[in-house]
Amino acid sequence: MNNPINDPINIAFIGLGTMGAAMAAHLIKAGHQLKVYNRTLEKAQPLEALGAIRAATPAEAAQDAEVVITIVSDSPDVWEVVLGEVGAAKSMKSGSVLIDMSTISPQVTKDIAAKLAEKGVQMLDAPVSGGSEGAQKGTLSIMVGGDKATFESMLPLLELMGKTIIRVGEIGAGQVTKAINQTILAGVYASVAEGMALGLSAGIDMEAALKAVSGGAAASWVLSNRANNMIKGDYPLGFRTRLHLKDLNIALDAAKAMGVPMPVAAFVAQLETGLVKRGYGEEDVSNIARAVRQAAGLDS
Ligand code: NAP
């Protein structure tokens, strides 16, 4: 394939949600030729306005593509847009590359890669962290699994969408790394929520308390950016609770398959399951504090 640093290449981009639409725009602005597909077709309009061509199916988008990028919701969705009836694999050529940037199961990732390998198509798993803000600014953290040479040839494209781009191992390793990320976050959100409930119950000045603990060993992104939500009991987006729960379940399934106990992640997944059931799944994941505050008698 051409060198993506110097030459514009044909890219199929599948999934124009919160993340995908912003990421695809960076590739168009860098001069690449994009054919885009989104299940809800009208969502392709802003990208068409930038110069992309709209395709009616993933297979149509992937026709003539040297690289196919997918970023849809969950494991079955990636399977469908890649290997389904009108999936991208139907028209991908030997030597082309699929980069899946969704957050999905490491095992499903390996299964898809094995199917694509039968056609001579290489796959990288490249889930992202950094939220919608990172997608818009092109500053995402991208954790990549897959063949080293393929990673190196795709790096210039990934650099258009992210700032910290690390190959962490073979296919599936990117998704394992993302599962680590979401597992760590689960514990931190829950612990910050408990700390805030303790302080609020004691009636101390929480602004001063936050300032004090932020300068010490308990400092974290969640403490700096989400503790105020938890103090106020107001949880604007952010990152949806139902998506974090999806990611935690991916981590827990992978852990179960390996016999690794993760009691903290399992506990937080139970809290989030209750929040989703009660209709709070679309709120920011800091609403874990809703459950903690209620248990502490701070909210009814
Ligand atoms: P989103 O806004 O809900 O968009 C989801 C996209 O997937 C939409 O384009 C949707 O099409 C498409 N889709 C879902 N199921 C499909 C199917 N079966 N067939 C075809 N298309 C399908 O989600 P997002 O926030 O962009 O997230 C995308 C991925 O990135 C997820 O795996 C998420 O966990 C991950 N992620 C998100 C964030 C974040 O802050 N939002 C951060 C890091 C990683 P429609 O438009 O037709 O619904």
Side-chain angles (χ1 to χ4, degrees):
M1 94 170 225
N2 297 331
N3 179 350
I5 300 177
N6 301 315
D7 303 319
I9 62 165
N10 292 325
I11 300 172
F13 202 106
I14 296 166
L16 305 171
T18 308
M19 301 297 284
M23 292 155 69
H26 293 303
L27 302 179
I28 298 171
K29 286 176 190 158
H32 295 296
Q33 290 134 13
L34 260 69
K35 269 196 193 160
V36 295
Y37 167 78
N38 196 69
R39 181 178 57 183
T40 308
L41 292 174
E42 331 55 280
K43 282 199 202 160
Q45 274 164 7
L47 277 299
E48 282 185 287
L50 292 176
I53 295 168
R54 188 205 302 201
T57 64
E60 188 185 313
Q63 196 79 45
D64 305 322
E66 289 153 88
V67 179
V68 174
I69 297 176
T70 49
I71 178 152
V72 292
S73 304
D74 204 350
S75 307
D77 308 311
V78 177
W79 190 277
E80 191 179 329
V81 299
V82 177
L83 298 170
E85 287 255 306
V86 289
K90 283 272 183 306
S91 57
M92 287 182 79
K93 312 274 183 308
S94 175
S96 62
V97 178
L98 181 108
I99 308 176
D100 178 40
M101 305 189 78
S102 326
T103 301
I104 67 162
S105 143
Q107 187 55 51
V108 172
T109 297
K110 287 187 204 168
D111 294 346
I112 294 172
K115 295 257 180 212
L116 292 175
E118 290 168 13
K119 298 191 62 152
V121 172
Q122 280 278 350
M123 177 172 176
L124 298 177
D125 56 314
V128 302
S129 176
S132 53
E133 200 187 26
Q136 272 153 22
K137 291 185 178 161
T139 56
L140 291 166
S141 172
I142 309 180
M143 20 208 134
V144 189
D147 173 69
K148 190 161 185 276
T150 307
F151 166 72
E152 279 163 6
S153 70
M154 292 297 116
L155 193 53
L157 276 189
L158 297 173
E159 282 171 341
L160 297 172
M161 299 178 278
K163 206 167 166 194
T164 306
I165 302 158
I166 314 261
R167 178 179 175 270
V168 288
E170 299 303 329
I171 190 75
Q175 295 294 356
V176 173
T177 306
K178 176 75 190 207
I180 294 170
N181 188 75
Q182 301 304 70
T183 300
I184 294 169
L185 273 180
V188 177
Y189 272 103
S191 299
V192 172
E194 288 187 357
M196 295 309 106
L198 178 64
L200 287 167
S201 301
I204 64 166
D205 176 350
M206 288 307 290
E207 203 181 313
L210 255 188
K211 218 180 262 175
V213 288
S214 297
S220 71
W221 185 91
V222 176
L223 191 68
S224 304
N225 293 283
R226 295 292 184 262
N228 266 319
N229 290 0
M230 298 178 179
I231 292 167
K232 284 190 240 149
D234 182 27
Y235 313 102
L237 279 178
F239 183 53
R240 288 177 220 286
T241 302
R242 71 171 165 80
L243 284 182
H244 186 253
L245 177 57
K246 173 203 66 139
D247 296 353
L248 262 192
N249 282 328
I250 289 169
L252 287 165
D253 285 348
K256 190 174 171 194
M258 293 181 281
V260 176
M262 298 213 299
V264 175
F267 170 70
V268 176
Q270 291 292 307
L271 289 183
E272 291 184 355
T273 300
L275 291 164
V276 170
K277 174 90 176 165
R278 287 159 59 211
Y280 301 121
E282 301 304 315
E283 285 189 355
D284 185 72
V285 71
S286 55
N287 90 13
I288 287 172
R290 193 186 285 282
V292 175
R293 286 172 58 114
Q294 268 174 353
L298 290 163
D299 298 329
S300 51

